Amino acid sequence: MSPPQRRRRYPSQDNAEPPPKPKPAKQGDTKAPERLYVVAGPDGERADIDLVTLIVARADPPPSATPEQTAMLRLCTAPLSVAELSAYLSLPFSVVTVLLTDMLAAELVQARAPIVRQALPDRSLLEAVMHGLQRL
């Protein structure tokens, strides 16, 4: 048994012109996206940064900063986690850590450990809240 043959509903005309080929982009028309190894730099060294490490900007972006570093510094006026930075900039975590390593060495940003609660709430307070919710 042979497989079914696909047929066009409207056969193509013999003298139809082929679709035009796309024109090559000019130098100034559009900017091609950068490769990640260009953004991250050649060395690829990384600081000990976790996904939940909070990053805070310590200075304004210098004129020599890359566009990615400038965007990070503008985002980090308030503490942001590395995972949030990665999501906002649409860059992989590994690239963000390399960029942050360079920025930490230049003292443009400060890395903080995430805030961890030292003590659990009082059990009697939790029970009082639970009983209040049950009464509703």
Side-chain angles (χ1 to χ4, degrees):
M1 180 179 251
S2 63
Q5 299 289 326
R6 268 189 106 167
R7 295 183 190 172
R8 296 181 183 236
R9 291 185 183 181
Y10 303 105
S12 64
Q13 299 173 358
D14 293 335
N15 57 0
E17 294 180 18
K21 294 182 180 180
K23 296 178 183 178
K26 293 180 182 177
Q27 190 72 11
D29 285 350
T30 59
K31 183 179 177 186
E34 297 290 337
R35 299 279 184 181
L36 294 178
Y37 59 84
V38 173
V39 173
D43 56 355
E45 295 179 14
R46 297 183 188 158
D48 188 23
I49 298 175
D50 197 7
L51 280 171
V52 294
T53 303
L54 297 175
I55 305 297
V56 181
R58 297 177 75 186
D60 290 333
S64 62
T66 64
E68 291 82 12
Q69 290 175 338
T70 304
M72 276 191 201
L73 288 172
R74 289 186 179 149
L75 285 171
C76 291
T77 54
L80 279 179
S81 70
V82 178
E84 289 173 317
L85 281 173
S86 177
Y88 288 145
L89 297 174
S90 300
L91 291 172
F93 171 72
S94 58
V95 173
V96 172
T97 55
V98 172
L99 290 171
L100 285 173
T101 301
D102 294 340
M103 294 170 69
L104 284 167
E107 296 183 355
L108 295 173
V109 295
Q110 179 182 9
R112 297 182 184 172
I115 299 170
V116 180
R117 293 190 177 169
Q118 296 294 328
L120 295 173
D122 187 24
R123 183 179 176 97
S124 61
L125 174 66
L126 291 176
E127 289 176 356
V129 170
M130 184 177 70
H131 291 305
L133 290 173
Q134 287 174 348
R135 289 182 196 155
L136 291 175

